[in-house]
Amino acid sequence: MSSHKSKYIASVDCGTTGIRAHIWDENSKPVGKSYQKLYMKYGEKGEASLDAIEVFKAFVSVLKDAITNAKIDARDIASLGIATQRSCFLCWDKSTGEPVTPLITWQDHRFSKELEAANNTWRVSALHGIASVLHFLTRSQRFGVVKRFEFSVQQVAVKLSTLWKTEPKLKQLHKEKKLLYGTLDTWILWNVTKGKVHATDVSQVIATGMWDPFAMCWSGILSFLIPFPPMEIFPEVKATSDDFGICDSEFFGHPIPINALVGDQQAAMFGQCCFNKGDVVCTMGTGAFININTGETCISSNYELYPLIAWKIGKKVTYALEGNSSTTGSLLDWAKSIGLVKEVEELESMAQEVRDSNDVYIVPAFAGIEAPRFDSTARGLIIGLTYSTTKAHIARALQEAVAYRVCDVVNSMSLDTNSVVKTINVNGGVCLNSFICQYIADITNAVSYTHLTLPTKRI
């Protein structure tokens, strides 16, 4: 038996636009890191997908590079944790390991018509009616959630149902007992363990719209509402901190234990120490995701916020409410693409050249608008333009729009939880923009903390 002591932790974050790996020492100090960009494939019908094979190759590559940069060996790593973008899924042939569907991301809108049809069936109406009566009689949070249930364009449920209906090869592979389904974390885990582990965690599966957070099992309602694949193609669901198997030594030269899978937004909550009820985190990357810790209670939202499982450690389940805006960092990138600025970083200084936006307002609904107004057909809007409008006014209005969408969600959280949000922990690439962070603090009357700067307080 080897007496070698492993003393490092590895973490990999698989996001929408890239994969990042870090190696941490015993004092939680990063000693090695690596990053690789991912390239989304967009289509005219709202497609937004990734190449599943290339994503896994990138996962292996960044972790190898991080280990090399840390000047350690894979056998020095005691444990690996993996965070991934949620509601990003595919199906594959387990006999060959080849994907049989695209790796469809949460941004994909190709099935918007099917989503609208699914939400307007008599079955959904009946479900709402029955749940409303039961909620009135029992005041149960569970029936409160069900009476407002709607399929979301960002969730997996309708997308997977549509593929199951329209792709004969899926049913044929299932008949041959070769079909597997999984979100991105499951795909990476299955590959890195050489097909030995087909699993996910509760923080990932809740975001698919296919999991019952009260019964803690796959939702039995779905098969009543929409055509749905058989359960044997679905992964095992584990706690967030659990035994997820071992990376095969083929990839890194030595087996590495995998002890955590987690959704990226829940990882951000945990990483910013939002352990207590009422703690709020705002992750601003391509989109903005705002989460509030609701403790051991799964709350039914009156404002279209989505109840989530933040994490499960041991037998304890911690819940959260989430709202989001799909257009945040992508809005700043759009400003660059139309020539408003040469570099995105210029937007912050431009906004500070003027005292206000000169009554210019932007609605950043480039791909619909989310909580608390959910409308997938909404589109972006610029109003208030006059002859006195300058580029600086538009730049300021654009960044204020990001803050207003965050404020929409934060105010909804306050109403849903009957509490006042006093602190917002901000992270993600957009939090480098101090103007946006300060404006969020101003209009929410909260203190906005980032992991990079001093707190920005209300002026």
Side-chain angles (χ1 to χ4, degrees):
M1 182 180 293
S2 172
S3 60
H4 184 82
K5 183 181 178 182
S6 302
K7 59 181 182 179
Y8 295 91
I9 299 292
S11 64
V12 182
D13 175 21
C14 305
T16 306
T17 57
I19 299 182
R20 181 176 280 104
H22 283 86
I23 307 296
W24 310 84
D25 69 12
E26 292 174 307
N27 300 310
S28 300
K29 178 183 176 182
V31 294
K33 63 181 180 179
S34 181
Y35 175 81
Q36 188 166 321
K37 189 172 178 59
L38 296 176
Y39 296 93
M40 191 84 75
K41 298 176 182 177
Y42 294 101
E44 294 180 357
K45 296 181 180 179
E47 298 95 335
S49 63
L50 292 163
D51 184 315
I53 300 293
E54 292 304 315
V55 169
F56 179 66
K57 287 180 180 178
F59 169 86
V60 173
S61 177
V62 295
L63 185 50
K64 277 184 176 179
D65 288 347
I67 293 170
T68 299
N69 294 338
K71 298 180 180 179
I72 63 170
D73 190 87
R75 69 177 186 153
D76 296 320
I77 298 175
S79 183
L80 167 65
I82 303 171
T84 62
Q85 59 172 304
R86 303 163 308 169
S87 296
C88 179
F89 77 99
L90 76 160
C91 294
W92 67 94
D93 182 338
K94 67 179 179 182
S95 66
T96 64
E98 291 295 318
V100 291
T101 69
L103 181 54
I104 298 174
T105 73
W106 60 275
Q107 292 181 313
D108 195 290
H109 286 209
R110 76 182 76 185
F111 301 121
S112 294
K113 290 181 179 178
E114 289 82 359
L115 176 79
E116 185 177 358
N119 280 328
N120 287 296
T121 63
W122 68 267
R123 293 172 185 267
V124 171
S125 297
L127 180 69
H128 289 167
I130 294 168
S132 294
V133 172
L134 291 172
H135 183 248
F136 176 78
L137 294 173
T138 66
R139 311 315 296 175
S140 164
Q141 291 283 354
R142 183 176 190 177
F143 295 125
V145 170
V146 176
K147 78 175 185 178
R148 297 182 181 90
F149 173 84
E150 279 194 350
F151 293 109
S152 165
V153 71
Q154 294 176 353
Q155 295 171 344
V156 172
V158 170
K159 299 173 186 179
L160 180 59
S161 172
T162 304
L163 289 172
W164 180 249
K165 282 192 301 181
T166 59
E167 297 289 343
K169 61 185 175 183
L170 298 185
K171 292 181 180 177
Q172 181 58 38
L173 281 172
H174 171 253
K175 187 177 179 180
E176 297 170 2
K177 298 183 178 180
K178 295 179 180 178
L179 185 66
L180 291 179
Y181 152 85
T183 41
L184 178 55
D185 60 309
T186 305
W187 166 251
I188 290 172
L189 184 67
W190 188 85
N191 277 280
V192 82
T193 61
K194 286 283 189 175
K196 292 183 177 67
V197 184
H198 182 226
T200 186
D201 99 294
V202 291
S203 74
Q204 293 276 3
V205 75
I206 187 64
T208 66
M210 302 188 295
W211 184 260
D212 184 334
F214 297 93
M216 292 296 285
C217 65
W218 294 102
S219 175
I221 296 174
L222 284 179
S223 58
F224 167 73
L225 299 177
I226 54 177
F228 217 64
M231 297 311 301
E232 53 261 32
I233 75 168
F234 288 82
E236 177 186 1
V237 180
K238 295 190 168 195
T240 307
S241 178
D242 210 322
D243 178 4
F244 289 96
I246 296 173
C247 296
D248 192 274
S249 57
E250 173 191 323
F251 297 108
F252 308 107
H254 194 275
I256 300 174
I258 306 166
N259 296 113
L261 293 184
V262 63
D264 52 3
Q265 307 312 320
Q266 289 95 323
M269 283 187 73
F270 200 91
Q272 296 221 220
C273 302
C274 293
F275 304 138
N276 301 313
K277 186 176 179 179
D279 288 348
V280 175
V281 66
C282 173
T283 302
M284 295 189 292
T286 304
F289 290 83
I290 305 94
N291 298 78
I292 184 169
N293 185 323
T294 61
E296 296 181 45
T297 304
C298 186
I299 290 180
S300 167
S301 174
N302 293 311
Y303 299 94
E304 306 290 344
L305 302 179
Y306 192 72
L308 291 177
I309 298 168
W311 48 76
K312 181 182 179 184
I313 299 176
K315 294 184 178 180
K316 183 179 178 181
V317 179
T318 299
Y319 292 91
L321 276 177
E322 179 175 277
N324 78 293
S325 172
S326 62
T327 311
T328 304
S330 56
L331 180 64
L332 308 186
D333 290 335
W334 172 79
K336 176 183 174 182
S337 72
I338 64 169
L340 184 63
V341 289
K342 290 183 178 179
E343 299 297 336
V344 168
E345 291 76 17
E346 297 171 24
L347 288 167
E348 181 179 348
S349 58
M350 283 183 71
Q352 294 168 340
E353 290 174 8
V354 290
R355 294 183 60 184
D356 54 41
S357 67
N358 196 25
D359 291 329
V360 175
Y361 293 94
I362 294 176
V363 179
F366 284 37
I369 198 162
E370 296 81 13
R373 297 175 180 82
F374 267 110
D375 183 354
S376 62
T377 65
R379 291 298 177 263
L381 179 70
I382 302 177
I383 58 173
L385 299 177
T386 67
Y387 288 119
S388 63
T389 301
T390 67
K391 281 187 176 183
H393 291 129
I394 296 173
R396 185 176 179 113
L398 185 137
Q399 292 167 90
E400 288 179 355
V402 169
Y404 285 132
R405 286 293 295 121
V406 172
C407 184
D408 273 349
V409 175
V410 170
N411 288 343
S412 299
M413 287 177 169
S414 293
L415 293 169
D416 270 335
T417 60
N418 194 29
S419 63
V420 177
V421 174
K422 296 181 179 179
T423 302
I424 304 172
N425 296 283
V426 184
N427 67 88
V430 177
C431 79
L432 292 167
N433 184 314
S434 60
F435 174 82
I436 291 177
C437 291
Q438 181 64 59
Y439 205 76
I440 290 171
D442 292 346
I443 62 178
T444 60
N445 198 24
V447 178
S448 173
Y449 283 94
T450 79
H451 63 297
L452 297 171
T453 64
L454 294 172
T456 51
K457 299 182 180 180
R458 189 176 192 276
I459 296 173

